[in-house]
Structure formats: C-alpha cells, structure tokens
Amino acid sequence: MPVVLLTALVASYSVYKRHQVESKNKATALAVEYETIEALAAGQGLPLDRAIAELKSQGLGAVVLSEEFIGELINQGRLTLSSTSVPAGEAQPTIKLSSLTFNDLSVFPRVQRGLQIRFGALSGTLAPRGKVLSLPPVSAQLIRSTSIGLNPTQAGTAQRNGLMIVARASNPSGASSQAVRQTLGWAKEMGASVFLPQGDQVLGRRDALKATTESLKGLGLLYATPEFAKIGGDANVVEEQPENIVRLHSAQVAELDKLSLPAAVERYVKAARERNMRILMVRPVSLGADQPLSNFGTFIRAISDGIRNEGAQIGTPHGFEDPKIPRPLFLVLGLLGAAVSFGAVASLVRDRKLLTVAAVLLGLLGLACWVKSGQQVMALVVSMALPVIGFLAIDALRPSTSLPTLVRALIAFLMVSVFSLIGGLYVAGMLNGLPYYVGGDEFRGIKISLFLPVLLIGAAYTMRLTDWRSTLKGSITWGTVLLGLFLIAGFGLMIARTGNDSGVGASGIEVLFRNFLDNSLFVRPRTKEFLVGHPALIVGIAMLYRYVPQGDAASGPRSRALLGWIALVLAIGAVGQTDIVNTLCHLHIPAALSVVRVLIGIFLGCIVGSVLWIAVSRLLPKPEN
C-alpha cells in the first residue's frame, strides 16, 4: 500500500505539470471560409466589410482562404488559354505550344509567379509579349491546375478587418522542395499565420515533407491538424513539430444538417472544451434563411458564449508549451510501477521461480522507462495491474461486518475505484509531453488495458469461488450457450466501439440520452461506467460479502449455487474500473476534465448501484447460517 500511495503522488505531480500547460492554452478561434461569408453576405444584400464586421462582433476571429488556380481565372474570363501547333522536326513533326492572353493584366504577376513555382526551370524564359504570355511545353490541364496562391483581395479584406488568416494549399503532383518553400512563403506574405492542408495529402508529401516542416517553423506558421481527417503526411508533421501544432475541428454541412441548433452548438463547444481543439472551422447550420448572414452570426455567438461559459476564451490560438518534466521522474515512475506490478503478480502467482523472473523483467522494464518505448510498455502494465490489485483487495480489506451489506459494498467499491484512478493517473503521468497533447503520439495499449484485466479478474474469481474443473467437465446447457453468446456479443461491441473514431456509432436513443447528460452535468460520464460497470461491481461485492462471509467458502448449498454468478457479476463490474483507467488514457483530453468525468461517474454509479442492490437483494435467497 505505501508503494501505491507513493506512485500516486509522483504520478499526480506529473499530471499537475500537464494541467499547468493545458491551463495556459485555452484561447480558441472561430474560423469561417471566405466563400461562406461572401455567399451569405450576398444573400442578405450586405457589403462584405459590413458582413465581416457583424460576424466579428459575434465572435469570428479567423477566415480560411484557399489557394486559387489559373483555371478559375480562365473561367472568369480574365485569361484566355490557347494552343498552336508548330513544326519541330522529322522525329516529331509538330509540337503544341500554349499561351495565355491576359484580359486583366492585374493578375499577371500572380500567374507568372505561380507558373515559376510549379514548373521551375521550364518557366524561366517566361516573358510577357503585350497581353500574351508564352507557356512551358506542358498540357493545358497542368496549366489550369497551377496554383496562383491566395487571393490578395481576400487576404487584404481579412487583414483590414483584423482577422487571422488560415491558408489552405493542396499537394500538386511534382511539387519540389523549392516549390513547397515558395508556396508557404507566399502564403506568409499574404498575411497567413496558420497553414491547413487541403485535399488528401499535406503539401510536400512524401519526399518534400521535410521542406514543409522546416518552412513552417522558419516562417512562424502554425500547422492546423484537422480532427478525424485522414490526410497523408499529417501525422508526420504533428510528430515532427508538436510545439507548432494547433488542433482544428470542423463539421460538414451534411453532418450539421442532421443536428438541431443546440446540438450543433454543443458539438463545437465540446470540441474546444473536451478535446483541446483550438480552431473551430464553423459552417452554417442552415443555408437558406430570410437573413442568412444574421442567422449564421447567431450561431457563431452561441458557440462563442458556450466556450466562454465553459471557462475557455475566444482569442488567437497558439501551440502548447513543453511541460518540462525532468527525465529522471519517468525513471522513478518506472521503478515504482515495477514494484506495484510485482505486487499484482505476487497476488496471483505462487511459484518462486516465476516470481523471480517477473521481478527481474519488471525491474528491467522500470529502468527502460528512461526512453519512450519503455514508458509505453510500463504504462500498459500498470494500467492493468492496479485495477487487478483493487479487486484482490476486496477480500483482504473487507469493511467491518457490523455495517450493513450495502454500506460495506459501497466502501469496497470506492476503494477499488481509487486503485483504478491511480492507474489512470499513472498512465497520464508517465505519457506526458507535447506529442501527447496534440495527438502526435498516444497510449498504444488502450484496448488491451481495457479488456484484458476484465478477463483476468473474471478468471481469478471463477477459480476462487467455484469448482471450475468440474464445471468444464460437465454438460453444456442451452442457458449456458445463450449466456456465453450474449457475453461474447457484448464484449465484441465494446471492443468495436472503443476509440474516438471507432466506426460504430451510438443509436438515436443513446444520442438523446447523452445529450441529456451533457446538458444536465458539468461533464458527461461514460455510460458503461455508471450504468453498467459500477452498479454491477457494487452488486457483485454485496453478493460476495453476503454469501461468502469469510475467504472463499460459502455457508450453504443455496449460497454455493450463486458463486458462479458472483464471479460473473464481478467480472462485468471490472468493465467500469478499466474504463476509469481508459478515461485518463485519452491524452489529448484535458487531465482535469478526465478526473472530474471519473468522479461524476463514480458518484452516479453509487446511486444506480445502491438502487439496483436494493431491488436485487429482495429477489435473492437469504444466506444460510
């Protein structure tokens, strides 16, 4: 127990340092795509500057500008692309040469610069001949798809209105390192302070990605990593420059169309509050309205008010600071974790040779926590060991028998939950650093730590409370088969739904229930904790204390008939405990919020579990003396 308490103190210090960093980074910017503002302003008959001023008064802080292409200028009639065939020689009788005729000479500098960036030496001889510009010998499609940077008029409007500029650029085929540097430098010249990739690859992906990261850092451009987006090279940039990263959340119009206005507001607010999203790219909930821009302004105002009400602020986002955790602290945590984990192994294993091997391996693993890979493995081991220790302590630290069964069960439940909470704090304290805050790195053992302890605890109590060898030799009944299938299905569903982007969504009723909890509580606890795991554990402990008063011996045949059910209910209860650990393993979520979420879940679990035990106890037989 002293080792566990010392482990909790050291881990809590590391988590506190993380909390300090997170508390300094709460400024969130609401961003809107320029085209959206332009369209809504036109629909309401407002000048663009007036529309921007109105949205800015509601909380708008940034505008997203996408690069333009030569093809867009051609479509607007500002350029004309033409091709002519000229004789070249016997091997190739003719070649096609293209040229651009400028109907608007003001765009000539942008076009020439875009061609030079895209084609390099091929465009070195470009020179205007009146209103005609000869082009390099490439296809017309490549000419049309050549970027000409951000629109200077749009950039000037954003700067004039004091809006932060988020620049978007795609990754064209054949982009050289020099082209990457020039593209980002051009965006910086236009006033951009944040770069957001466009399309399915980051600019420079793959072999020129180093030029991207070096240019971003050298130019002082933040990199916005979009949540849930599958963009090639995004993870590499985040891993390379975690100090230069801001996380961005957006929702597509099709997604917003399925939500009510309060639900849409809550989506953005929760992204900022619960997942450290520092840029929210807001799109309209409704595209059609009598006053479309004013309606959109109301939506923005609701989001900004919600963020402020949650204790954050609307402002200019910035990257996280380094928590400056002394490296020896991870070594100390590693050695403490080794001691705690050995205690769990010693409680389950009696063979001295195996214990010696376990002690040596855990000691080496503790020393390996000097490096990141060792920290990951030790975090996984301890995340499983502490919940197991908590369950093993249920019998060893039984509350006084003079107390009512429910009170004793609640005391034991809280004791087990404390062990699990320490396990979660250990993971959060061990895996502490910039890469974890921005999603560049994560705890890789989440699913193992969530489900393996459940199996271990279920097996341990089954072997302790039942004659499992005889059960395995006995005949199988339909009831046993159906129960097994039900448990396998439930277990499989939990595995499938684990993770932020699991692909298995919640049902409509569950969404409504979650929304109710979100609106009623400071933070919504996890459903499988307070409605499943915690109540089951309270009932399981109460059954254990009621029918197995001392050790593993039941007092009568009716009590012995319940032993298998007790082991099963305790195993289900372990789901809530491993989920406590899991809550703190999501390292991009603010640590303080995760702790509060756990505590609310424990409180509600006590209430639900107490009610459930009162109901179940009336259906169960009385214990024999």
Side-chain angles (χ1 to χ4, degrees):
M1 184 63 71
V3 176
V4 174
L5 292 177
L6 183 58
T7 301
L9 288 174
V10 178
S12 296
Y13 171 77
S14 179
V15 173
Y16 171 71
K17 298 292 288 185
R18 170 184 162 187
H19 173 67
Q20 284 184 314
V21 170
E22 291 172 335
S23 298
K24 295 177 182 178
N25 190 1
K26 291 188 176 182
T28 303
L30 304 185
V32 177
E33 291 160 308
Y34 188 93
E35 293 79 5
T36 298
I37 301 175
E38 194 173 35
L40 295 178
Q44 195 166 320
L46 293 177
L48 192 57
D49 282 314
R50 181 178 167 187
I52 291 177
E54 181 175 332
L55 294 182
K56 188 177 178 183
S57 68
Q58 304 297 333
L60 178 67
V63 64
V64 180
L65 301 183
S66 297
E67 61 183 347
E68 291 188 330
F69 301 92
I70 288 178
E72 296 178 58
L73 298 184
I74 294 174
N75 293 338
Q76 295 167 12
R78 304 170 77 178
L79 296 176
T80 301
L81 176 63
S82 57
S83 300
T84 58
S85 297
V86 298
E90 295 182 1
Q92 187 177 2
T94 61
I95 60 172
K96 283 191 175 182
L97 294 180
S98 300
S99 63
L100 285 173
T101 301
F102 286 82
N103 305 317
D104 179 1
L105 282 174
S106 66
V107 299
F108 171 77
R110 295 179 63 201
V111 172
Q112 185 180 45
R113 185 171 182 178
L115 290 168
Q116 289 172 339
I117 290 174
R118 180 72 184 274
F119 300 113
L122 285 177
S123 60
T125 59
L126 288 175
R129 190 171 65 253
K131 292 185 177 182
V132 179
L133 183 65
S134 298
L135 298 175
V138 296
S139 70
Q141 182 57 39
L142 281 178
I143 298 297
R144 285 177 171 272
S145 64
T146 297
S147 170
I148 51 174
L150 304 182
N151 186 310
T153 301
Q154 295 178 356
T157 301
Q159 290 179 300
R160 185 170 62 250
N161 287 277
L163 295 178
M164 180 181 74
I165 295 177
V166 179
R168 303 199 73 177
S170 57
N171 185 38
S173 298
S176 65
S177 295
Q178 182 178 2
V180 167
R181 296 188 184 95
Q182 291 175 339
T183 298
L184 292 174
W186 198 359
K188 180 68 175 181
E189 289 177 26
M190 292 290 102
S193 55
V194 180
F195 172 73
L196 172 66
Q198 185 165 335
D200 56 5
Q201 288 189 341
V202 177
L203 176 66
R205 170 78 168 173
R206 303 181 175 240
D207 294 338
L209 199 58
K210 185 176 181 181
T212 302
T213 56
E214 290 177 348
S215 297
L216 288 172
K217 187 172 184 179
L219 294 168
L221 285 172
L222 292 171
Y223 176 82
T225 174
E227 186 181 27
F228 303 140
K230 306 299 183 182
I231 299 177
D234 176 75
N236 303 89
V237 178
V238 173
E239 182 180 4
E240 181 71 22
Q241 292 187 351
E243 74 285 353
N244 202 42
I245 302 301
V246 291
R247 306 188 77 210
L248 179 144
H249 176 80
S250 66
Q252 300 299 322
V253 174
E255 296 177 282
L256 293 172
D257 188 54
K258 300 175 183 178
L259 302 176
S260 64
L261 181 61
V265 171
E266 184 67 16
R267 170 174 174 149
Y268 281 106
V269 173
K270 284 178 63 177
R273 179 200 187 200
E274 298 186 9
R275 302 194 300 280
N276 279 327
M277 298 296 148
R278 297 284 74 100
I279 298 179
L280 304 179
M281 193 160 73
V282 185
R283 294 187 171 98
V285 174
S286 174
L287 298 179
D290 291 336
Q291 302 288 321
L293 188 118
S294 297
N295 280 14
F296 188 45
T298 301
F299 182 41
I300 291 177
R301 166 59 69 182
I303 296 172
S304 62
D305 287 345
I307 291 173
R308 291 189 182 97
N309 291 339
E310 297 295 347
Q313 54 187 296
I314 300 298
T316 303
H318 56 83
F320 282 100
E321 298 177 5
D322 191 287
K324 298 179 181 178
I325 304 294
R327 200 170 183 184
L329 184 86
F330 296 116
L331 183 61
V332 172
L333 267 178
L335 294 174
L336 289 172
V340 168
S341 302
F342 180 77
V345 174
S347 300
L348 298 172
V349 178
R350 294 289 181 265
D351 189 287
R352 289 191 175 183
K353 291 183 179 179
L354 290 178
L355 288 176
T356 301
V357 172
V360 172
L361 291 177
L362 288 170
L364 293 175
L365 180 57
L367 294 174
C369 290
W370 187 260
V371 297
K372 182 179 289 188
S373 57
Q375 295 163 14
Q376 282 276 353
V377 178
M378 182 57 81
L380 172 60
V381 172
V382 176
S383 71
M384 296 187 292
L386 277 165
V388 171
I389 291 174
F391 269 81
L392 296 175
I394 289 175
D395 264 343
L397 302 174
R398 286 196 178 204
S400 171
T401 55
S402 62
L403 297 172
T405 301
L406 177 57
V407 175
R408 298 171 66 206
L410 289 172
I411 293 173
F413 163 72
L414 293 174
M415 174 186 65
V416 177
S417 298
V418 168
F419 279 98
S420 300
L421 179 59
I422 294 173
L425 290 172
Y426 185 92
V427 175
M430 176 65 84
L431 306 182
N432 191 357
L434 281 176
Y436 298 106
Y437 304 161
V438 298
D441 206 347
E442 60 184 11
F443 178 39
R444 300 184 183 92
I446 283 183
K447 290 195 176 184
I448 297 175
S449 67
L450 189 59
F451 298 108
L452 185 57
V454 176
L455 298 177
L456 292 175
I457 290 166
Y461 273 97
T462 298
M463 289 188 289
R464 287 177 59 184
L465 298 178
T466 68
D467 185 2
W468 59 277
R469 292 184 178 87
S470 298
T471 301
L472 291 177
K473 293 179 182 178
S475 58
I476 299 177
T477 64
W478 281 108
T480 304
V481 172
L482 292 175
L483 177 61
L485 291 175
F486 175 79
L487 293 175
I488 291 172
F491 213 62
L493 180 62
M494 287 176 57
I495 293 175
R497 292 186 55 174
T498 300
N500 290 325
D501 193 15
S502 63
V504 181
S507 65
I509 295 176
E510 188 177 356
V511 169
L512 291 175
F513 183 60
R514 287 181 175 184
N515 290 338
F516 169 75
L517 294 176
D518 281 325
N519 295 328
S520 304
L521 302 171
F522 177 74
V523 62
R524 175 177 59 83
R526 292 177 176 245
T527 306
K528 60 178 175 286
E529 286 183 27
F530 81 94
L531 279 185
V532 180
H534 296 347
L537 181 54
I538 292 170
V539 170
I541 295 173
M543 292 174 68
L544 181 71
Y545 287 174
R546 184 177 186 179
Y547 295 108
V548 191
Q550 295 293 333
D552 300 333
S555 56
R558 285 182 297 177
S559 298
R560 287 194 294 272
L562 291 171
L563 293 181
W565 288 101
I566 293 173
L568 176 61
V569 175
L570 287 173
I572 295 173
V575 170
Q577 297 304 306
T578 60
D579 208 56
I580 288 176
V581 179
N582 177 259
T583 298
L584 283 151
C585 291
H586 293 277
L587 304 171
H588 59 282
I589 296 176
L593 195 71
S594 295
V595 172
V596 173
R597 188 193 300 275
V598 167
L599 295 178
I600 292 176
I602 290 173
F603 175 74
L604 293 179
C606 286
I607 295 174
V608 177
S610 298
V611 173
L612 183 61
W613 170 247
I614 292 172
V616 170
S617 62
R618 295 181 180 181
L619 302 176
L620 294 173
K622 293 183 179 180
E624 299 102 330
N625 295 324

